[in-house]
Amino acid sequence: MTGTMTRPGRWRGNPGGTSLPARSRMVQSAGALRRVMGAVWIWPMLVTAVIGWHGIRAAVMWRDELATWQAASRSVAQLWRMVHNVDAVLGVYYLGMHFWMALFGDSPAALRAPSLIAMTGTAGLVALTGRRLGGSTAGLAAGMVFAVIPSVSRFAEEARPYALMTFFAALATWLLLRALERPRWPRWVLYALAVAAAGAFNVLALCLLTGHALCAAMHWWRPAKDSVGRRREVALGFCLAALAGVALDLPVMIAGHRQTAAQIGGLARPALSQLLGQDGPVRLWPELFYSTAVAVAVLVLAAASLRGPSLRASAYSLATAFVPIAVLWTASQGTVSYWYIRYLMFTVPAWAVAAGLGIAGMEPRSAAARGARGIGVAAIVALIAILGIPDQHAIRQAEAHNWWSYPDPDPFGDYPANYEGAAKVIAEHERPGDGIVFKRDDRWMVDIGVDYYLRGRAKPTDVFLIKTPAQAGRLTAVECAHPARCLRGEPRLWIVYQGHERDPYAAIEPAKAAALRAARYATQRIYAEDGLTVALMTRE
């Protein structure tokens, strides 16, 4: 013994008088904290969360995010009716956001928070996948590379399902590796559920199965002492799990297929040059990573992973990264094109894993030099982060979510639309009895954007509105077939439309313009708000 008992629970030679059980608990807690802080997944998650939270309120809500708010604001019955007409493939996401909004509200930060949480979790999964394939250095490097990719924080700050799709795709990849190592039915069940969840948030994420099938085939053919029975377990387990995952998504796939032409019918068929990332209306690599410089760095590191002992592990990650892209490109050569780069966001974790393997392959082999490996990993990740700084800044501008900030235009032709600025003009200058007229269309959702930023306030009467989108069971409202019959002699009207046309009569629909002319409305003032125009008209 090192001390003598003086009274129960106290020992001479223990100046603090701390009981041994309490000290033991402190030591255990400190050890647990050190283990957590030393885990490969914790730092990528922290970095992703910090970068994603920075600027989460900066960008104005854009068209697609407004669709999320508008759909999730409905009752469950109204939402069920809507998905039978439009956005069936997003029904699961909208339903989840409906309950999320009931708990946390509908501010931009609240609406975007589920995406931030999902991307933060994805960073941890990327690190765990990299560790399983290439060790702790590869895992930490992969997770940190993922954390600093600009597209990761871009979609961590968007109220759309892409981050959730990415999370479940990364989870499915990690669960696949575990199932391949020990093919047990509980593991295959979990894998099937993860695949189904990824497809529920975007059915095109099921293309991931093609990369996973190649991974399973490589595992099946690898030189090993596996028995014939064990190989049979791998083949049967993967095939049944993949089929189960697809089967669970069949209702969404069938309903979405009926709506394909109306929702993505405007996408162009991609050329071969676009698959290779060369010139075209949609550039694959800059848009996948939201940075040309970061894309080049990640692809170079991924290619570097193809040498040395990490070759098989690299083949697994690159199969998961590139094969789904090639499959989606091939499928888009048919009558319907699915070539929209944000749909491929689920491949970014695999690219980060490949880059992490490439960084780990540069690790010094000598025992003396190996102590500096952490510095080398940090330096490479820091370089990638620095390369992405201009793009990280660009995606946090006020209208950054409305348009693609690089030279190539968005395939839908989107341009800035400052809904918040338009709503502020109306809120500051409206009077009781005012009416409002929108130029409505599916693309711009001007009425929904202004409604969002006027929520909780008194609003001018929407003079031509017959049915709200919720009442119509669609994303757009129903207006008067004969606008002249809906005017009620409002002394002032606010006219809101996309573009910079100075003459409201030339900007809005001809039938509405004719009704307003007949009622003798004249333009009093024009407010231009970054892609939107607000005109105040009064009766002569």
Side-chain angles (χ1 to χ4, degrees):
M1 287 188 168
T2 59
T4 59
M5 179 73 78
T6 58
R7 65 175 185 267
R10 302 287 181 178
W11 290 83
R12 186 176 298 158
N14 182 3
T18 305
S19 66
L20 287 183
R23 175 175 288 184
S24 177
R25 286 194 297 271
M26 291 170 59
V27 171
Q28 291 174 357
S29 298
L33 180 60
R34 283 194 299 270
R35 286 192 296 273
V36 169
M37 298 307 289
V40 297
W41 50 267
I42 188 68
W43 295 109
M45 291 181 67
L46 287 173
V47 172
T48 302
V50 169
I51 297 177
W53 181 255
H54 173 65
I56 197 169
R57 302 176 182 87
V60 175
M61 296 278 285
W62 78 297
R63 178 197 65 195
D64 284 12
E65 293 181 295
L66 293 168
T68 294
W69 169 74
Q70 192 240 83
S73 298
R74 307 179 188 207
S75 68
V76 174
Q78 289 174 330
L79 186 55
W80 177 255
R81 182 187 175 198
M82 187 200 82
V83 297
H84 283 78
N85 297 316
V86 65
D87 271 356
V89 294
L90 298 176
V92 172
Y93 175 69
Y94 289 154
L95 182 63
M97 289 300 295
H98 169 83
F99 294 110
W100 177 271
M101 285 169 51
L103 292 173
F104 300 104
D106 61 356
S107 68
L111 290 171
R112 292 164 177 168
S115 294
L116 176 59
I117 294 169
M119 280 303 193
T120 300
T122 305
L125 288 167
V126 168
L128 291 173
T129 301
R131 184 180 68 178
R132 186 169 290 272
L133 287 173
S136 296
T137 300
L140 180 61
M144 294 301 289
V145 167
F146 179 83
V148 300
I149 292 174
S151 62
V152 170
S153 53
R154 167 64 176 80
F155 289 106
E157 298 176 355
E158 175 150 305
R160 295 299 278 176
Y162 306 114
L164 289 154
M165 165 194 72
T166 304
F167 170 81
F168 284 108
L171 178 62
T173 299
W174 181 69
L175 290 171
L176 173 68
L177 294 176
R178 295 180 73 246
L180 291 177
E181 288 176 2
R182 291 189 61 197
R184 300 290 184 265
W185 287 113
R187 295 190 174 195
W188 289 120
V189 169
L190 291 175
Y191 170 70
L193 292 175
V195 168
F201 287 105
N202 191 317
V203 294
L204 296 179
L206 294 176
C207 292
L208 181 74
L209 288 171
T210 57
H212 285 180
L214 187 55
C215 291
M218 286 188 290
H219 186 87
W220 193 87
W221 282 106
R222 68 177 182 172
K225 297 178 181 180
D226 289 352
S227 65
V228 174
R230 187 176 180 86
R231 292 191 174 193
R232 186 182 299 115
E233 288 178 358
V234 168
L236 183 62
F238 174 76
C239 291
L240 291 179
L243 288 173
V246 173
L248 288 172
D249 286 333
L250 271 178
V252 175
M253 295 169 65
I254 293 171
H257 180 71
R258 296 170 182 158
Q259 301 168 3
T260 298
Q263 295 201 236
I264 58 173
L267 293 178
R269 181 184 301 173
L272 180 60
S273 60
Q274 293 174 40
L275 179 63
L276 300 176
Q278 297 175 1
D279 292 340
V282 180
R283 296 190 300 166
L284 172 59
W285 307 114
E287 294 194 29
L288 187 61
F289 295 97
Y290 262 58
S291 168
T292 300
V294 171
V296 171
V298 171
L299 293 176
V300 168
L301 290 170
S305 71
L306 288 169
R307 62 184 180 84
S310 65
L311 178 59
R312 180 172 293 276
S314 178
Y316 279 33
S317 59
L318 290 175
T320 307
F322 186 72
V323 171
I325 295 176
V327 168
L328 192 66
W329 180 89
T330 302
S332 298
Q333 300 307 306
T335 56
V336 177
S337 174
Y338 306 95
W339 193 249
Y340 203 17
I341 305 306
R342 66 188 62 185
Y343 297 162
L344 293 167
M345 188 65 199
F346 67 89
T347 67
V348 171
W351 288 111
V353 170
L357 292 170
I359 294 173
M362 302 174 188
E363 177 185 348
R365 298 299 172 192
S366 68
R370 207 174 296 139
R373 61 185 177 184
I375 299 176
V377 170
I380 295 174
V381 172
L383 176 60
I384 297 173
I386 291 170
L387 291 174
I389 286 176
D391 306 286
Q392 294 281 10
H393 177 72
I395 62 179
R396 287 169 175 80
Q397 300 308 299
E399 286 84 36
H401 285 199
N402 281 296
W403 57 296
W404 177 243
S405 60
Y406 293 92
D408 293 329
D410 185 288
F412 286 119
D414 291 343
Y415 298 94
N418 188 357
Y419 305 105
E420 185 177 25
K424 185 177 180 181
V425 166
I426 296 168
E428 290 178 350
H429 301 287
E430 72 160 329
R431 298 176 185 172
D434 284 0
I436 193 167
V437 174
F438 296 102
K439 182 180 181 180
R440 285 186 165 97
D441 58 40
D442 294 342
R443 174 174 295 178
W444 297 110
M445 293 190 175
V446 174
D447 53 331
I448 308 302
V450 172
D451 283 348
Y452 176 78
Y453 282 103
L454 286 177
R455 67 194 189 287
R457 300 171 178 261
K459 291 177 280 192
T461 302
D462 193 337
V463 297
F464 294 133
L465 181 69
I466 297 297
K467 289 184 180 180
T468 65
Q471 293 168 339
R474 297 183 178 276
L475 290 174
T476 53
V478 176
E479 294 190 312
C480 291
H482 304 285
R485 300 176 186 176
C486 294
L487 289 172
R488 296 293 182 267
E490 291 83 0
R492 304 198 321 165
L493 291 177
W494 294 96
I495 318 297
V496 188
Y497 50 90
Q498 196 279 329
H500 301 287
E501 174 61 57
R502 303 293 293 180
D503 179 7
Y505 285 124
I508 62 177
E509 298 89 335
K512 293 179 184 177
L516 297 183
R517 279 198 181 95
R520 301 179 63 83
Y521 281 95
T523 303
Q524 292 298 311
R525 188 164 180 181
I526 297 288
Y527 302 86
E529 292 295 330
D530 293 333
L532 291 183
T533 299
V534 180
L536 175 62
M537 303 187 78
T538 58
R539 297 189 71 180
E540 295 179 343

